[in-house]
Amino acid sequence: MKKPRWVVEKEQARKAAAAETVWLFGLHAVRDALMNPNRQKLRLIVTRNARDKLAEAIEFSGIEPEMADPRKFTAPIDAGSVHQGAALEVKPLDWGGLAENCIGRENPRVILLDRVTDPHNVGAILRSAEVLGASAVIGTRHHSAPETGALAKTASGALERQPYLRMRNLADTIVELQNMGFLVLGLDGEADVTIEGALSDGRDRPVALVLGAEGPGLRQKTKETVDQLVKIDAAGGFGSLNVSNAAAIALYASRP
């Protein structure tokens, strides 16, 4: 009996995911990945200088490095990448699901990203999320930035420590968080209420902050699903922020 098309596509997607690898580059990103016991490491390419700088991390990981000439770096990464003589092939991290990452911490804070595709923005958001104590950063499987070397380098090690989940459907994820007791706030420059105003009586409850891509902002479905639309109070007439800066300010403004 011939398998239905959807079954075949699901099996193909599963095989593709199993075969997926990522090349991380740069001393910080590679060092933190080498030191992460949860990261599956496949291949390390380094120059002699980078090997010396990463000696402790290489020894900890147990991986045997491949040596490369700094004038002809052989790792299969973009020629313009600032690799600093180090590149590491890895499997993407598996952080698990919503409940295990978002429940358990006192007054958790979560960031959700609505079609934020720029890896540099997502990397910067992961870094801010780690510094400001967020439980997780959540995107979607499609139309969001996957793990890449550029994302990892911008995150400066936060990718190894800050849960980055990619869920199938953002609206369903918002509803699931609401069912867990989260107050879900969508960032919108046209909103009437500030983050502080929305949380005037609720800083002790779990809060999820949803940010959209620069330009389009939140999709209509997202706006309809969140509990409330809020804004960052701007001092002047120019009220637009880069999404990574907005995420950091929103997290700080929502702190318990």
Side-chain angles (χ1 to χ4, degrees):
M1 181 177 176
K2 187 176 180 180
K3 293 181 181 178
R5 182 177 177 182
W6 69 270
V7 173
V8 174
E9 290 176 348
K10 189 172 183 179
E11 290 176 349
Q12 289 174 340
R14 189 182 297 114
K15 289 179 182 178
E20 182 183 0
T21 65
V22 181
W23 278 95
L24 307 180
F25 56 83
L27 292 175
H28 282 297
V30 170
R31 177 183 289 111
D32 285 310
L34 288 171
M35 297 295 290
N36 183 0
N38 295 320
R39 175 71 86 170
Q40 187 176 349
K41 298 163 275 285
L42 304 174
R43 187 180 174 197
L44 174 64
I45 300 177
V46 290
T47 61
R48 185 178 301 277
N49 185 47
R51 183 196 61 184
D52 293 343
K53 291 180 178 179
L54 296 170
E56 184 179 348
I58 292 172
E59 182 179 1
F60 177 86
S61 71
I63 194 169
E64 185 66 31
E66 301 173 30
M67 302 306 298
D69 187 325
R71 293 165 296 183
K72 189 179 180 182
F73 198 64
T74 54
I77 58 176
D78 188 273
S81 301
V82 184
H83 53 73
Q84 299 173 295
L88 177 66
E89 186 183 17
V90 298
K91 288 282 191 180
L93 286 166
D94 181 7
W95 288 100
L98 277 184
E100 59 200 280
N101 286 287
C102 300
I103 296 297
R105 182 178 296 188
E106 186 177 1
N107 305 319
R109 296 296 184 263
V110 172
I111 289 283
L112 291 95
L113 303 177
D114 188 1
R115 297 199 173 200
V116 178
T117 58
D118 186 332
H120 298 94
N121 275 332
V122 176
I125 289 168
L126 286 167
R127 192 172 182 179
S128 295
E130 182 190 14
V131 170
L132 295 170
S135 296
V137 175
I138 303 168
T140 52
R141 291 178 191 169
H142 304 289
H143 308 295
S144 70
E147 282 192 38
T148 63
L151 187 154
K153 195 168 193 305
T154 306
S156 192
L159 180 62
E160 305 301 321
R161 298 180 291 273
Q162 177 65 43
Y164 179 40
L165 315 181
R166 296 176 68 207
M167 311 303 289
R168 187 182 64 82
N169 182 283
L170 190 69
D172 290 347
T173 301
I174 291 171
V175 171
E176 191 173 345
L177 286 169
Q178 289 167 332
N179 291 337
M180 292 178 188
F182 276 79
L183 174 66
V184 184
L185 304 177
L187 273 287
D188 187 330
E190 302 300 317
D192 297 323
V193 181
T194 64
I195 297 170
E196 293 88 346
L199 294 175
S200 58
D201 297 320
R203 288 187 176 273
D204 59 342
R205 66 179 295 187
V207 175
L209 301 159
V210 192
L211 295 97
E214 293 175 46
L218 299 177
R219 288 174 292 165
Q220 187 60 36
K221 176 67 172 177
T222 304
K223 291 181 180 182
E224 294 170 356
T225 310
V226 300
D227 293 304
Q228 189 172 2
L229 295 175
V230 295
K231 65 181 178 180
I232 294 171
D233 201 13
F238 184 75
S240 177
L241 283 169
N242 171 279
V243 65
S244 62
N245 292 331
I249 293 171
L251 270 173
Y252 187 78
S254 72
R255 68 196 187 282

